[in-house]
Amino acid sequence: MFRNQYDTDVTTWSPQGRLFQVEYAMEAVKQGSACVGLRSRTHAVLAAVNKAASELSSHQRKVFRVADHAGVALAGLTADGRVLSRFLRSECINHSFVYDAPLPVSRLALRLADKAQVCTQRSWKRPYGVGLLVAGLDETGAHLYYNCPSGNYFEYQAFAIGSRSQAAKTFLERRFEGYNDYTPEQLIKDALSAIKETLQGEKLTSSNCTVSIVGRKDDGTMEPFEMIDAKRIQEIIDSMEAAEEAPAEPSAMQQEEPGTDAAAPAPMDI
């Protein structure tokens, strides 16, 4: 990214039809710590990397509860994310007060997108430099949305944002087709596995990640949006590592009885 004569304010178009300040805000999302979201028919899970600014500081929160039925994970400028999560919380409270019912997740994502879009159309404002994964539960099931600084929003089965998120997306793309039938435990494990892909060799522990879940139980009652405690996360991580270290079962070729000659492989053309 570099400065040019078309990025002095957000309402100036370049000859190529681009709004550079909006693109800069989207670049800020790519520089933030990674966040992952995935959902089944009845549950939605959000996970985020706890990244400290330095060894002497604590990490900033990346996952926020906005209502009993919804929460957000953010990548980018955390201060902007706090303001937007407070806005979402107010929208949920106002809707519940007026209609005595929770705000549908699709409408929640739409109101957030409308608020972000206004900042791309006023010269005295700047775009919010944060991307949000909105996860929630309503009458139609579990939902996951990604809200972009440009004001666009998309619904996903699974998605990842932030730095090194492409590795997590590749992992999710290989497995998302079965997510509708996943149990909450399976969703959490895949969320942790996707987060692990973004760490580039750093060991995954309960101290460097946050996981939250919302969903509906088998009896139809709602499980409110909650952060999973560190002890349970570490137990899940330990079980995943134990499963990876378990020796694989011998293949059929390895189990072949001694004395039988297998056909020699054909030479490979190089």
Side-chain angles (χ1 to χ4, degrees):
M1 290 291 182
F2 56 90
R3 289 191 56 81
N4 58 63
Q5 60 182 323
Y6 301 106
D7 67 354
T8 53
D9 65 67
V10 73
T11 59
T12 301
W13 291 94
S14 77
Q16 292 79 30
R18 298 165 64 182
L19 291 172
F20 284 102
Q21 284 203 10
V22 175
E23 293 184 17
Y24 296 164
M26 295 168 69
E27 188 66 24
V29 177
K30 296 178 183 177
Q31 302 298 326
S33 56
C35 296
V36 170
L38 53 160
R39 68 172 178 89
S40 65
R41 288 193 181 91
T42 58
H43 289 78
V45 171
L46 294 175
V49 175
N50 297 336
K51 187 177 180 182
S54 72
E55 295 182 0
L56 300 178
S57 70
S58 63
H59 67 273
Q60 288 186 303
R61 286 181 60 194
K62 295 291 184 180
V63 182
F64 294 88
R65 173 190 172 278
V66 298
D68 283 343
H69 71 292
V72 298
L74 56 95
L77 194 58
T78 310
D80 284 3
R82 288 200 310 271
V83 171
L84 290 176
S85 64
R86 192 181 308 123
F87 164 77
L88 293 177
R89 199 172 293 123
S90 297
E91 290 294 305
C92 289
I93 291 171
N94 292 338
H95 188 278
S96 179
F97 178 78
V98 174
Y99 298 102
D100 195 24
L103 180 62
V105 184
S106 59
R107 197 172 302 173
L108 184 66
L110 175 61
R111 293 185 184 180
L112 177 60
D114 288 343
K115 186 175 180 64
Q117 191 278 334
V118 170
C119 295
T120 69
Q121 210 171 357
R122 302 286 187 271
S123 61
W124 61 91
K125 294 187 176 185
R126 66 161 176 82
Y128 290 104
V130 65
L132 292 96
L133 293 176
V134 182
L137 181 76
D138 56 28
E139 293 179 353
T140 60
H143 299 277
L144 175 70
Y145 289 89
Y146 168 56
N147 282 76
C148 181
S150 64
N152 289 322
Y153 71 104
F154 310 91
E155 185 170 12
Y156 286 92
Q157 186 80 45
F159 198 59
I161 58 176
S163 62
R164 298 190 292 273
S165 61
Q166 186 56 51
K169 289 179 189 176
T170 302
F171 172 83
L172 295 171
E173 286 168 0
R174 294 198 304 262
R175 302 173 62 88
F176 78 96
E177 292 180 352
Y179 283 165
N180 269 338
D181 301 319
Y182 268 34
T183 65
E185 193 83 4
Q186 290 173 314
L187 287 177
I188 294 170
K189 286 183 178 180
D190 266 27
L192 289 170
S193 297
I195 286 292
K196 186 177 180 180
E197 294 290 327
T198 70
L199 296 179
Q200 287 191 340
E202 183 182 346
K203 184 176 176 59
L204 178 67
T205 65
S206 59
S207 62
N208 61 7
C209 67
T210 300
V211 183
S212 59
I213 188 169
V214 63
R216 182 174 285 114
K217 299 178 182 177
D218 294 336
D219 58 5
T221 59
M222 186 182 72
E223 294 181 28
F225 186 90
E226 65 172 352
M227 310 292 177
I228 300 175
D229 62 89
K231 182 179 179 181
R232 184 185 172 196
I233 293 175
Q234 191 58 53
E235 290 174 352
I236 295 173
I237 293 173
D238 292 341
S239 68
M240 291 165 55
E241 292 177 348
E244 291 175 359
E245 294 173 359
E249 295 183 3
S251 63
M253 186 173 292
Q254 291 174 330
Q255 292 177 345
E256 189 176 359
E257 295 181 3
T260 59
D261 295 330
M268 182 181 297
D269 292 333
I270 297 177

